[in-house]
Amino acid sequence: MYYLIAMKAIILAGGHATRLWPVTKHRAKPLLPLGEKPIIEYILDDLEGEVDEVIISTNDKFAPDFDEYVEASDFEDVRVVSEDQDNEHDKPGTIGAIINLIESEGLSDDLVIVGGDNYQSFDGADFIEFVKEKDAPANVVYDVESEEMASQFGIVDVDDDRIVGFKEKPDVPPSTLASIAWYFFPEEDLDLFDRYEEHFAETDIPEDQYLDEPGRLIEWAHEEREMYAYSFDGEWFDVGTPQGYLNAVASITDDKIVEGTVKDSEVDDDSIVMEGAEVKNSKVKKSIVFPNAKIIDSEVRNSILDQHAKIKDVNLNDALIGEHTQL
């Protein structure tokens, strides 16, 4: 069995989470609360003791927030590296960020690369043990179990656990195995990133596509190197969408989390009412109420209320209410 000598992890946290605006307009998505801790902490828990160092790759706008989080945490060997961009227009893209980080930090170790906006129920240590045995590039995949769902994701086709095909949002999926943002690249295969960039630079595909779509890398690289798929049972959520975020919260909360004040109201077990928030004479179902928000004489379902928002005599469903908003 092959054992890795040195391994680093990169958590990709440089996006601006526009699908969750206005809630994430001034807040890094991986630092959003998920149950009783932020999303990124689940990833760090999985990686702790499994890698030599974790690098959080973010942008200038959110770097201070991640620095503050890391300094206040008990995690060791975690550091923050900032991309030179502070808005959505200037971001280098997911793959571009990885390429820049490898070059700027001189990374030459085996790399685990994780998207900072996913929640999944598998143990990261199991994936790392899998790649130790394979000593080859690998991608975590999740069976969405239906062709209709599969058409919404990058879909991996496998022969046993070897990747033999990849299609981005296919009309006719070759399988129901969705590619999710956990990847592994051994040190000797890091050249794939430069070769990938060189290859697509000679095509007519726009740079903002091939440098921002990880699926294209898997689609291209599995024909250049033998690549493997790690499949797991359990749950996976794309926390980058409002419904994905709400579903993830509902999945991990066995009982409602109420840190604020609830009076003459109904709050279901899939909801979170954070410290300082107030809910009076209202019903709250599968929703997240941030600190110091107020809900009065209202019904709120499948919604997110940011801090200091205030609603009264309102019926909300599938809503994102920004900070300090009053309705």
Side-chain angles (χ1 to χ4, degrees), residues 36-269:
E36 297 183 340
K37 56 187 180 182
I39 295 166
I40 197 171
E41 195 159 321
Y42 294 90
I43 301 171
L44 291 169
D45 284 341
D46 270 346
L47 295 172
E48 189 173 27
E50 302 295 331
V51 297
D52 301 292
E53 182 183 42
V54 178
I55 299 171
I56 299 173
S57 175
T58 187
N59 54 62
D60 290 342
K61 180 178 180 179
F62 294 130
D65 298 331
F66 284 105
D67 282 330
E68 182 179 350
Y69 169 76
V70 170
E71 290 172 8
S73 77
D74 294 327
F75 293 108
E76 298 180 356
D77 301 316
V78 177
R79 63 188 175 98
V80 178
V81 174
S82 178
E83 303 165 4
D84 186 21
Q85 54 99 3
D86 59 9
N87 61 69
E88 181 76 7
H89 178 73
D90 293 335
K91 73 177 186 177
T94 301
I95 297 176
I98 297 169
I99 292 171
N100 291 346
L101 193 61
I102 290 173
E103 293 177 352
S104 65
E105 299 297 312
L107 300 181
S108 59
D109 299 303
D110 300 326
L111 291 182
V112 176
I113 301 171
V114 186
D117 59 355
N118 287 262
Y119 171 76
Q120 60 282 319
S121 58
F122 77 87
D123 188 337
D126 292 338
F127 174 58
I128 291 174
E129 184 61 30
F130 175 84
V131 301
K132 286 179 178 179
E133 294 176 358
K134 297 299 184 183
D135 186 24
N139 182 198
V140 176
V141 297
Y142 179 72
D143 192 349
V144 296
E145 298 182 347
S146 81
E147 289 193 2
E148 182 179 356
M149 285 287 291
S151 64
Q152 302 173 32
F153 300 102
I155 296 300
V156 174
D157 194 14
V158 297
D159 178 6
D160 193 9
D161 58 5
R162 187 169 62 86
I163 296 175
V164 295
F166 183 97
K167 295 290 183 181
E168 185 67 36
K169 298 179 180 178
D171 292 332
V172 182
S175 79
T176 55
L177 294 176
S179 167
I180 72 171
W182 275 75
Y183 311 97
F184 171 73
F185 291 91
E187 173 188 353
E188 59 269 24
D189 290 311
L190 294 184
D191 68 306
L192 283 171
F193 289 95
D194 283 339
R195 291 180 54 208
Y196 168 87
E197 185 175 23
E198 291 170 1
H199 168 77
F200 278 95
E202 297 176 356
T203 70
D204 58 0
I205 298 172
E207 183 177 282
D208 61 352
Q209 288 185 24
Y210 71 77
L211 288 182
D212 195 36
E213 298 177 353
R216 289 188 185 274
L217 176 63
I218 305 302
E219 184 177 30
W220 174 82
H222 87 273
E223 296 183 349
E224 302 294 317
R225 299 279 199 279
E226 198 164 74
M227 298 187 72
Y228 290 89
Y230 173 82
S231 183
F232 68 97
D233 296 322
E235 296 181 301
W236 165 67
F237 300 99
D238 175 5
V239 190
T241 67
Q243 196 58 54
Y245 182 27
L246 291 166
N247 289 343
V249 168
S251 172
I252 66 168
T253 53
D254 294 328
D255 196 4
K256 57 179 171 283
I257 298 175
V258 176
E259 298 172 339
T261 301
V262 175
K263 184 177 180 181
D264 299 325
S265 298
E266 297 178 17
V267 178
D268 77 345
D269 289 351

Side-chain angles (χ1 to χ4, degrees), residues 288-324:
I288 303 169
V289 185
F290 275 76
N292 302 307
K294 293 185 178 182
I295 300 174
I296 302 170
D297 301 325
S298 299
E299 291 191 16
V300 178
R301 297 176 303 280
N302 297 299
S303 296
I304 304 171
L305 275 73
D306 206 348
Q307 57 190 3
H308 299 287
K310 181 180 179 180
I311 66 170
K312 184 176 181 180
D313 297 320
V314 173
N315 191 332
L316 289 182
N317 190 32
D318 298 326
L320 288 172
I321 306 301
E323 185 177 4
H324 293 288

Side-chain angles (χ1 to χ4, degrees), residues 4-23:
L4 300 172
I5 297 174
M7 183 187 293
K8 295 189 188 312
I10 298 171
I11 298 178
L12 299 170
H16 292 267
T18 54
R19 291 179 296 176
L20 281 170
W21 278 18
V23 174

